[in-house]
């Protein structure tokens, strides 16, 4: 749909018409706006037909519906309230979650997989509560897998110190953030391995005296690196009166954007 405002004929018009149109321009009514709803069925392009588009035009987009806005800012936040243990020091374990706090284009499956609906660069952050019940410090490796394959150079090593005494384990927080390039429908997992089965990922219940919140064993957030909708919707090519709009693979109805044609 194109919003049309009054224009002047090629050879001019009466003073009142000219004044009305000039005042409209000064009030932002520049006759170069419209709206477009993205094609569905997994489409990655949508054709925009607008006679005001020229070969040198710049076309700017902004979300104009809830569905469009959801695509512009993917994010997710997840946590776990259980203890996670390792039965073997030679096995890699996926960190699991039992709670979704926030989800917009990033979802949890199989308890450990963080799935993205849209392609792009994502920032994945975690906070993991490690417990060591042994009498010596132990190494714990934590890294990332994408679609079941380890991501090269993504490992970090943490070292929970020896327990403070019999029955008094030590605790540290493993914290990290990592950028990962994801295609539509990819998933990423956080993996861990411990040097001793005496090291685990532990949750704590809410406390008293003073009252304080529970401690999740794991907290993870994931977000699209750029929250600017212009990065998710762009013109790949255009000619006189027509443009090809590239976007995330779309199967959702009513992804509507307002646009401005400049030049």
């Amino acid at each position: 749909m194109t919003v049309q405002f009054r224009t002047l004929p090629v050879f001019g018009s009466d003073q009142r018409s000219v004044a009305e149109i000039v005042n409209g321009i000064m009030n932002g009514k520049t006759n170069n706006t419209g709206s477009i709803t993205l094609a569905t069925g997994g489409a990655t392009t949508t054709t925009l037909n607008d006679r005001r588009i020229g070969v040198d035009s710049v076309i700017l987009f902004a979300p104009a519906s809830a569905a469009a806005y959801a695509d512009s800012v993917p994010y997710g936040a997840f946590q776990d309230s259980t203890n996670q243990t390792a039965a073997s020091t030679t096995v890699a374990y996926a960190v699991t979650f039992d709670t979704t706090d926030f989800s917009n284009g990033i979802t949890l499956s199989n308890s450990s997989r963080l799935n993205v609906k849209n392609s792009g660069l994502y920032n994945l952050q975690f906070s993991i509560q490690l417990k060591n019940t042994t009498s010596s410090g132990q190494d714990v490796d934590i890294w990332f897998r994408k679609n079941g394959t380890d991501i090269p150079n993504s490992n970090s090593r943490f070292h929970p110190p020896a327990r403070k005494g019999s029955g008094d384990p030590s605790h540290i927080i493993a914290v990290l953030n990592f950028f990962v390039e994801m295609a539509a429908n990819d998933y990423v997992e956080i993996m861990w391995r411990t040097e001793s089965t005496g090291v685990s990922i532990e949750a704590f219940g809410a406390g008293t005296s003073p009252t304080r919140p529970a401690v999740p064993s794991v907290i993870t957030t994931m977000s699209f690196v750029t929250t600017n909708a212009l990065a998710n919707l762009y013109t790949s090519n255009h000619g006189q009166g027509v443009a090809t709009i590239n976007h995330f693979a779309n199967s959702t109805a009513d992804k509507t954007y307002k646009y401005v044609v400049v030049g």
Side-chain angles (χ1 to χ4, degrees), residues 75-147:
Y75 58 82
F78 313 90
Q79 61 176 281
D80 189 63
S81 61
T82 66
N83 297 331
Q84 301 184 36
T85 59
S88 171
T89 61
T90 60
V91 174
Y93 295 92
V95 173
T96 59
F97 309 91
D98 64 4
T99 301
T100 297
D101 293 316
F102 301 98
S103 177
N104 182 27
I106 301 174
T107 56
L108 175 67
S109 69
N110 287 26
S111 299
S112 65
R113 297 178 179 181
L114 304 180
N115 308 270
V116 301
K117 181 179 179 182
N118 301 314
S119 62
L121 187 67
Y122 287 81
N123 184 16
L124 177 59
Q125 303 179 75
F126 66 73
S127 170
I128 298 177
Q129 179 75 61
L130 296 173
K131 177 180 76 171
N132 183 10
T133 62
T134 73
S135 58
S136 60
Q138 306 291 342
D139 288 336
V140 178
D141 290 345
I142 302 176
W143 69 97
F144 301 93
R145 278 185 183 171
K146 183 170 73 172
N147 302 331

Side-chain angles (χ1 to χ4, degrees), residues 2-252:
T2 301
V3 179
Q4 296 287 349
F5 299 102
R6 294 173 60 191
T7 59
L8 290 171
V10 175
F11 298 105
S13 186
D14 60 87
Q15 289 183 342
R16 178 170 179 171
S17 294
V18 171
E20 288 177 349
I21 291 172
V22 170
N23 284 334
I25 293 172
M26 297 303 293
N27 289 323
K29 309 301 184 183
T30 53
N31 195 30
N32 60 341
T33 64
S35 63
I36 182 172
T37 299
L38 302 190
T40 56
T44 57
T45 62
T46 299
T47 300
L48 172 60
N49 294 291
D50 190 315
R51 62 181 177 80
R52 299 166 299 180
I53 298 172
V55 294
D56 295 320
S57 295
V58 175
I59 306 174
L60 307 177
F61 300 92
S65 68
Y69 180 76
D71 249 7
S72 70
V73 285
Y75 58 82
F78 313 90
Q79 61 176 281
D80 189 63
S81 61
T82 66
N83 297 331
Q84 301 184 36
T85 59
S88 171
T89 61
T90 60
V91 174
Y93 295 92
V95 173
T96 59
F97 309 91
D98 64 4
T99 301
T100 297
D101 293 316
F102 301 98
S103 177
N104 182 27
I106 301 174
T107 56
L108 175 67
S109 69
N110 287 26
S111 299
S112 65
R113 297 178 179 181
L114 304 180
N115 308 270
V116 301
K117 181 179 179 182
N118 301 314
S119 62
L121 187 67
Y122 287 81
N123 184 16
L124 177 59
Q125 303 179 75
F126 66 73
S127 170
I128 298 177
Q129 179 75 61
L130 296 173
K131 177 180 76 171
N132 183 10
T133 62
T134 73
S135 58
S136 60
Q138 306 291 342
D139 288 336
V140 178
D141 290 345
I142 302 176
W143 69 97
F144 301 93
R145 278 185 183 171
K146 183 170 73 172
N147 302 331
T149 301
D150 292 340
I151 299 176
N153 304 312
S154 67
N155 194 19
S156 293
R157 181 160 293 176
F158 301 91
H159 190 77
R163 68 189 184 195
K164 293 171 283 185
S166 179
D168 190 9
S170 66
H171 303 92
I172 68 166
I173 291 285
V175 180
L176 190 71
N177 75 291
F178 187 76
F179 278 18
V180 56
E181 187 74 34
M182 305 284 282
N185 301 313
D186 278 354
Y187 69 87
V188 64
E189 294 174 289
I190 303 171
M191 308 299 299
W192 71 293
R193 167 265 176 190
T194 175
E195 187 179 18
S196 169
T197 57
V199 174
S200 61
I201 301 174
E202 186 177 32
F204 297 91
T208 58
S209 300
T211 300
R212 53 198 187 275
V215 179
S217 55
V218 183
I219 298 174
T220 294
T221 62
M222 190 172 181
S223 57
F224 197 63
V225 169
T226 174
T227 57
N228 188 340
L230 299 180
N232 305 339
L233 192 77
Y234 66 94
T235 306
S236 61
N237 59 74
H238 53 276
Q240 190 62 46
V242 63
T244 300
I245 311 304
N246 282 57
H247 47 76
F248 290 144
N250 180 43
S251 297
T252 304

